[in-house]
């Protein structure tokens, strides 16, 4: 059985080479949580979810099961919408266990930087909490860079075939966050609209008109309108009073981007669930919850937020 630390927060990476090692590392972890009376969630890609569910048998009914391909397609959604949503719903003083697999072989190069940033930020998001989050990594299908990043974002690693974890000598989440805060590729052909406080409504209409022309309909068009409104308002309030909106199509999806002169100094911005009595400060959170992917670059000259929407 895979063993993990009993510190208030634990975030081990589990490396596996085949289905047998995957189940040997995850299922005993889940069952140990159930035996201890701990709430347990499993959020992994659908094919792996079915493996764990079948192995658990009747115990699967006691576990919150989520397909990470859907719940966590946007890595920026995983902390507030999956991990914190489950942990925060449990009673005070109860330790929580989660199996979370945000990185899989089908992740695209465009998605991957957001995945790494998510893994690095888990440590700050749950510091001091009574939570264990076990993250499996496919040692065969993932490339060496991904495996190296896993060592850098997890304080404890469990080598493939092992039953116990060890401290990661490469653990450096802040370095990873800085390294993947990379400029987004330029897009030469896109509708562009410069906005100010006086033209926020116009910016939203420009975005939705272009989104509709590019194929978005119904709720997807509403999502684009919401994201545009939140990002452009943030730019006016926090980004120097103005910004640039761009909308275009790429690989069958519609993209929306907002640039301004502001800087995001809180790496967890948009990844914390909003308190019930909180007023304002929900803009980036809403963006993460409705977009299919969100990438952010912030630097000396300002911030760019780029969002993807599948039709």
């Amino acid at each position: 059985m895979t063993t993990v630390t009993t510190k208030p927060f634990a975030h081990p990476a589990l490396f596996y080479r085949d289905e047998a090692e995957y189940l040997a590392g995850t299922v005993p972890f889940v069952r140990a949580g159930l035996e201890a009376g701990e709430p347990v969630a499993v959020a992994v890609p659908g094919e792996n979810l079915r493996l764990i569910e079948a192995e658990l048998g009747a115990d699967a009914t006691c576990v919150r099961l989520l397909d990470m391909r859907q719940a966590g397609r946007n890595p920026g959604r995983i902390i507030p919408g999956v991990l914190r949503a489950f942990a925060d719903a449990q009673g005070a003083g109860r330790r929580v266990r989660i199996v979370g697999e945000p990185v899989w072989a089908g992740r695209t190069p465009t998605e991957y930087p957001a995945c790494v940033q998510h893994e690095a930020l888990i440590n700050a998001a749950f510091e001091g909490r009574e939570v264990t989050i076990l993250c499996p990594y496919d040692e065969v299908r993932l490339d060496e860079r991904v495996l190296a990043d896993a060592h850098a974002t997890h304080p404890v690693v469990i080598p493939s075939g092992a039953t116990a974890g060890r401290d990661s000598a490469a653990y450096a989440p802040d370095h990873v966050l800085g390294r993947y805060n990379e400029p987004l590729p330029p897009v030469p052909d896109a509708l562009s609209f410069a906005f100010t406080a006086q033209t926020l409504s116009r910016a939203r209409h420009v975005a939705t008109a272009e989104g509709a022309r590019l194929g978005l309909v119904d709720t997807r068009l509403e999502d684009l309108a919401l994201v545009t409104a939140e990002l452009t308002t943030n730019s006016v309030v926090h980004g120097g009073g103005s910004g640039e909106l761009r909308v275009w199509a790429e690989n069958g999806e519609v993209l929306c981007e907002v640039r301004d002169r502001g800087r995001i100094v809180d790496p967890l911005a948009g990844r914390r669930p909003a308190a019930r009595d909180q007023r304002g400060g929900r803009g980036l959170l809403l963006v993460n919850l409705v977009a299919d992917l969100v990438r952010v670059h912030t630097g000396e000259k300002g911030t760019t937020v780029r969002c993807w929407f599948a039709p």
Side-chain angles (χ1 to χ4, degrees), residues 9-13 75-76 78-79 83 100 102-103 111-127 133 135 137 146 148-156 170-181 266-268 271:
F9 173 62
H11 183 210
I78 299 174
I79 290 175
L83 305 181
V103 183
E111 295 170 341
Y112 180 67
C115 295
V116 185
Q117 290 173 320
H118 155 75
E119 284 282 55
L121 288 168
I122 286 179
N123 304 289
F126 285 91
E127 185 176 5
I133 302 174
C135 299
Y137 278 81
V146 175
D149 286 338
H151 281 263
T153 54
H154 294 78
V156 172
Y171 181 60
D174 291 340
H175 174 72
V176 169
L177 285 175
R179 179 155 52 90
Y180 282 96
N181 178 32
D266 178 7
L268 280 169
R271 298 175 190 258

Side-chain angles (χ1 to χ4, degrees), residues 40-124:
V40 181
V42 175
V44 300
E47 63 275 18
N48 289 341
L49 190 68
R50 289 186 287 275
L51 287 175
I52 292 175
E53 185 176 14
E55 189 73 9
L56 285 172
D59 287 339
T61 61
C62 303
V63 178
R64 174 71 166 142
L65 301 173
L66 295 166
D67 186 342
M68 190 65 99
R69 291 186 188 275
Q70 299 175 9
R73 179 184 175 184
N74 173 21
R77 184 190 306 154
I78 299 174
I79 290 175
V82 178
L83 305 181
R84 280 285 304 271
F86 179 75
D88 293 353
Q90 311 311 316
R94 300 183 72 190
R95 186 168 193 89
V96 172
R97 290 192 182 212
I98 302 172
V99 180
E101 190 170 5
V103 183
W104 55 84
R107 283 291 199 185
T108 68
T110 302
E111 295 170 341
Y112 180 67
C115 295
V116 185
Q117 290 173 320
H118 155 75
E119 284 282 55
L121 288 168
I122 286 179
N123 304 289

